[in-house]
Amino acid sequence: MPSSESPRISPAPEQGTALSSRVGYVEDVAPGHGTLPPRAWYAASDAPSLSLNGRWRFRLSPTADAEDDAFAAPGYDAENWARVSVPGHWVLQGHGTPVYTNHLYPFPVDPPRVPTENPTGDHLYVFDLPADWPDRAAGGGTVLRFDGVESCARVWLNGTDLGEFKGSRLPHEFAAGHLLKPSGNVLAVRVHQWSAGSYLEDQDQWWLPGIFRDVTLLHRPAGAVLDFFVHASYDHTTGEGTLRVDSDVDGRVTVPGLGVDVATGEPVTVPVRPWTAETPVLYDGVLATAGERVPLRIGFRTVELADGLIKVNGKAVLFKGVNRHEWHPETGRALDLETMREDVLLMKRHNVNAVRTSHYPPHPAFLDLCDEYGLWVVDECDLETHGFVEQDWRDNPVDDDRWTPALLDRAARMVERDKNHPCVVVWSLGNEAGTGRGLTAMAEWIRDRDPSRLVHYEGDIDSRDTDMYSRMYASHAEVESIGRGLDGGTRKRRRLPFILCEYGHAMGNGPGGLADYQRIFEAYDRLQGGFVWEWIDHGIQDERHGYAYGGDFGEELHDGNFVCDGLLFPDRAPSPGLVEYKKVIEPVRIEGSGADGTVRITNAHDFADLSALAFLWSYQLDGESVDAGALPVPELAAGESADVKLPPLPAGTRGAEGGWTVRAVLAADAAWAPKGHEVAWAQLPVTERTVPKVSATARPVSRDGVITLGPGVFEARTGTLRTVGGVEVTGLRLDVWRAPTDNDEGASWQDGLRYGPAWRTYGLHRMRHRLDAVEVGDNALTVRTRVAPAARETGLTTVYHWTCDGARLKLAVSVVPEGDWSVPLPRLGVRFGLAGSADRVRWFGGGPGEAYPDSRSAAVLGRWESTVDALQTPYVRPQENGARADVRWAEIGGLRVEGDPEFWFTARRWTSEHLDEAAHRTDLVPGHAVWVNLDHGQHGIGSQSCGPGPLPQYVLRAEPARFSFVFTKTS
Ligand code: GAL
């Protein structure tokens, strides 16, 4: 269907709106009027264009109708107006403030009415045409394009009202040529923060009004390209691609690399290399009409639903995806090209192969990058009406025919804009909009316009309108039962593949449980992977708080730091969650026991062979590499495995803990990472660690109020450790508290036990330590205590047993729970303070980053060094962080600690209590001590800030436990 038949914009404002007719369009359910039909977007052609981005004059009014439209007339004096950057959001440029809500509308729900308080930004830009701009006599015209304006804009050019539009993250074009003059053109844009369109844009994000994407003037020469649709399919049985470019304006299509030169509308079949996210082969071509040459980047690929699976080029794909909102901590959803590229490169470098553009079509340049570097894209429409859930979905616009033209307009603007991208394999109708006829109409329109892609919508639980069963935050057990086909559901749904369009809620520390999900995805064909929620924290750079989140701007309704739930910190530094995800989804599996001298390599790509990778081995003894080399691995095809022989064990390995590390790295520079970039790795242990043995030969001596045991000095009355070899140690005792993570806190709507609140109710943040006995024996100092919260009868009987061989001081801790412990423990270990001068940390264990029981896949066993500050993970809302896993020994502040068994190591310049109190990182003030936690156990992390909690195997139950540490002074 040519774009001229796309749903047209209803010109007539709805009856019955109460705003003055001058601004009646604001509350009109119609998408707008005066705009041109939607069409394919392309960055450049040989037709001239002029960017109107820049510093615009700006005036903010409190209501939609506070000012008349005199400002739009040429000659209006706006000299005393402020200036803002376009693209930009005025609330991030000193005018008004941002508002964050998850699903609550920050205004009364009375569709399509909006509040009288409706911040309205008048924008003015005066521009000249470049000297070589074709004059009118040359024919053709000029189009004025807005790529994104939130939420409703009215546009005047040289005093003439062009029309108005809604649909914030979608392009809108006006015919403008007849109004242009060589110089002094006045473009006036009135932008209203709230409009009927706001009801359709209730995504979980900041409300950020403004002209936040490019504004461009496009010359349209006579005979220019109008709309065109590149159909480029691939037949995997023949290895041939078929290209047909339908164009509203006839012309020719050339693809020199394929020897193609055909008329528009004419199919041509040639041998090609197909496009996939793993092998993003693009052929450069040109669409030439009488008046314009448009460059094409053509990727041949066929998407289909076959055998109940999502297949591309005949093969089922496994999505290892992320949900990406557009975000920059200074400019909000106004992103420059470099930021978009950084996102794509970071994704590729972390083994991510798919993006869901939650929850609106991104800046179109992002899709060019996905074509180029290779990412599967689920392109989602700018539609969410989640706030209607508060009234049981009554009056939901998606089930009210009056809104259907607006919904179809959004669907068309997305599909027409993005249809020529090979990366887009699935259209998504929107997010969390309930159910209704409007959605069905969108799905039908999309299928009719573009049968070459699949349709997604998570809210369609019966999959009536969709090609896949999609859910968010389903538990591991449920996903597994869906994999087994035991989930029931409608007949249609039972035959469809499954994706988790959101899972692994990456809010704060976490998510935990990703590896467990991945194992399930890989075990069942029907499960085609998922998309972690979400890519980046939407923290706003802020002088007061470092990064601001909901509530920091005095919003009366807000959802706090729920807006900071990404795998990247706001500055795009990868969080441990992303490093974990990279490991979990690596496209090569390296497995084996290490001891038998072979390693099994599996190519877990869906398409690519292993020719891009080189394999390396190294052998470590006690965490230090003693030998290394290249490992020849056959160029396995996707899905194949091979057993590869490792070299003979290096000599002299006795007595030390030893093992192989095998890594797959890029063999040559790739477009997205340099040669040597690590793609996958595994460690295969060979010889076991010898745990420290301390024979209890030294005698405790009690004199002058102190007890001395080898290098240890204790207070005689309390048995409290004071110094080890002269190094001061304060407050060493059992510790069970951690500053609850966002995932510990859980979401208010969760049914299950929410650990953070339960721990506080139980009083685990205010444990009391009762001293029962200090026993000085022949070869040991034993301190007996009971550790318990006020107001509870439960407790932990805790015995500290100190022994020494003359040089090394050993602490054996035994913990026996008493009473009915119905909550797990946050952590179990000891903590103590060292002098604040302690800074350098060395350890042998998991690293370099943090790890927790269900987020530890990426911890590499080795020797690591850090500073105390660098051990901290900068979660936007402070919370437990920074533990290093499987630590054999650690050195800090002049002390060396060895554990039996291995322990979790944490060190910070504040206590867990301070960490817990802090709302922002700027609240964390270093104290006089460095607090060290040596933990025998840590509770898992899970994903309960929106999804399921930790799996049972990661729950730290209060059970009898024994663990020990050996302290020595470092030299
Ligand atoms: C989902 C929603 C997302 C986001 C997420 C929680 O329900 O689709 O937009 O709100 O939960 O962070």
Side-chain angles (χ1 to χ4, degrees), residues 24-183:
Y25 59 91
V26 172
E27 294 182 328
D28 181 2
V29 295
H33 86 276
T35 53
L36 294 167
R39 64 184 182 115
W41 192 98
Y42 48 93
S45 76
D46 65 346
S49 68
L50 177 66
S51 168
L52 302 180
N53 295 347
R55 299 288 290 168
W56 291 42
R57 288 287 179 187
F58 177 77
R59 171 181 67 186
L60 184 62
S61 311
T63 64
D65 61 354
E67 299 284 352
D68 62 24
D69 50 18
F71 81 105
Y76 181 88
D77 180 5
E79 273 309 297
N80 60 348
W81 286 22
R83 284 184 196 270
V84 290
S85 290
V86 169
H89 305 279
W90 68 71
V91 290
L92 298 183
Q93 300 185 63
H95 306 277
T97 48
V99 173
Y100 166 57
T101 57
N102 166 10
H103 76 279
L104 296 178
Y105 288 104
F107 48 78
V109 179
D110 183 19
R113 304 294 312 276
V114 294
T116 300
E117 300 83 16
N118 188 357
T120 292
D122 289 333
H123 296 68
L124 264 185
Y125 192 65
V126 179
F127 63 94
D128 299 338
L129 294 177
D132 58 355
W133 193 264
D135 66 21
R136 224 173 288 166
T142 298
V143 161
L144 172 63
R145 182 172 71 198
F146 293 87
D147 282 319
V149 182
E150 180 171 331
S151 78
C152 170
R154 183 164 193 176
V155 181
W156 295 263
L157 183 61
N158 292 331
T160 299
D161 182 358
L162 291 181
E164 91 289 324
F165 60 84
K166 307 180 190 88
S168 298
R169 296 106 202 173
L170 293 162
H172 303 272
E173 290 183 328
F174 295 98
H178 56 298
L179 300 171
L180 287 170
K181 26 186 209 178
S183 61

Side-chain angles (χ1 to χ4, degrees), residues 1-48:
M1 180 162 97
S3 68
S4 54
E5 289 174 38
S6 303
R8 297 309 297 255
I9 294 160
S10 147
E14 246 227 338
Q15 297 298 305
T17 54
L19 276 182
S20 73
S21 60
R22 217 158 32 81
V23 288
Y25 59 91
V26 172
E27 294 182 328
D28 181 2
V29 295
H33 86 276
T35 53
L36 294 167
R39 64 184 182 115
W41 192 98
Y42 48 93
S45 76
D46 65 346

Side-chain angles (χ1 to χ4, degrees), residues 102 204 359 384 431-432 472-473 502 505 533 562 565 946:
N102 166 10
D204 173 6
H359 299 304
E384 175 160 341
N431 184 58
E432 296 188 315
M472 44 175 79
Y473 307 107
E502 293 179 28
H505 199 248
W533 186 268
F562 201 61
D565 50 3
C946 197

Side-chain angles (χ1 to χ4, degrees), residues 380-397:
E380 189 150 278
C381 199
D382 191 3
L383 174 64
E384 175 160 341
T385 62
H386 199 171
F388 285 88
V389 72
E390 293 295 313
Q391 49 194 62
D392 293 331
W393 297 103
R394 266 189 316 282
D395 299 325
N396 184 1

Side-chain angles (χ1 to χ4, degrees), residues 702-769:
S702 185
R703 187 184 310 140
D704 299 336
V706 296
I707 300 165
T708 308
L709 178 61
V713 178
F714 300 79
E715 188 175 285
R717 191 174 55 80
T718 60
T720 309
L721 180 67
R722 287 279 176 247
T723 56
V724 178
V727 177
E728 261 183 61
V729 175
T730 51
L732 188 149
R733 61 189 197 180
L734 191 82
D735 192 15
V736 297
W737 182 238
R738 77 180 185 195
T741 65
D742 292 316
N743 282 315
D744 290 336
E745 296 289 8
S748 53
W749 62 83
Q750 301 278 7
D751 312 327
L753 179 67
R754 293 168 57 204
Y755 296 103
W759 290 336
R760 284 184 219 278
T761 306
Y762 231 82
L764 300 190
H765 56 317
R766 45 174 171 74
M767 300 292 269
R768 304 292 158 84
H769 296 248

Side-chain angles (χ1 to χ4, degrees), residues 510-573:
L514 291 178
D516 309 86
Y517 274 113
Q518 195 63 26
R519 272 195 287 276
I520 299 169
F521 293 155
E522 288 175 9
Y524 302 95
D525 289 345
R526 185 189 186 192
L527 307 179
Q528 294 200 263
F531 297 78
V532 166
W533 186 268
E534 68 174 304
W535 178 237
I536 184 167
D537 288 341
H538 312 207
I540 295 180
Q541 194 151 313
D542 182 276
E543 274 182 15
R544 302 159 299 164
H545 302 302
Y547 291 114
Y549 51 76
D552 289 337
F553 298 98
E555 302 106 291
E556 61 178 7
L557 278 180
H558 67 84
D559 289 287
N561 66 317
F562 201 61
V563 78
C564 292
D565 50 3
L567 294 170
L568 296 181
F569 294 109
D571 63 359
R572 293 194 149 64

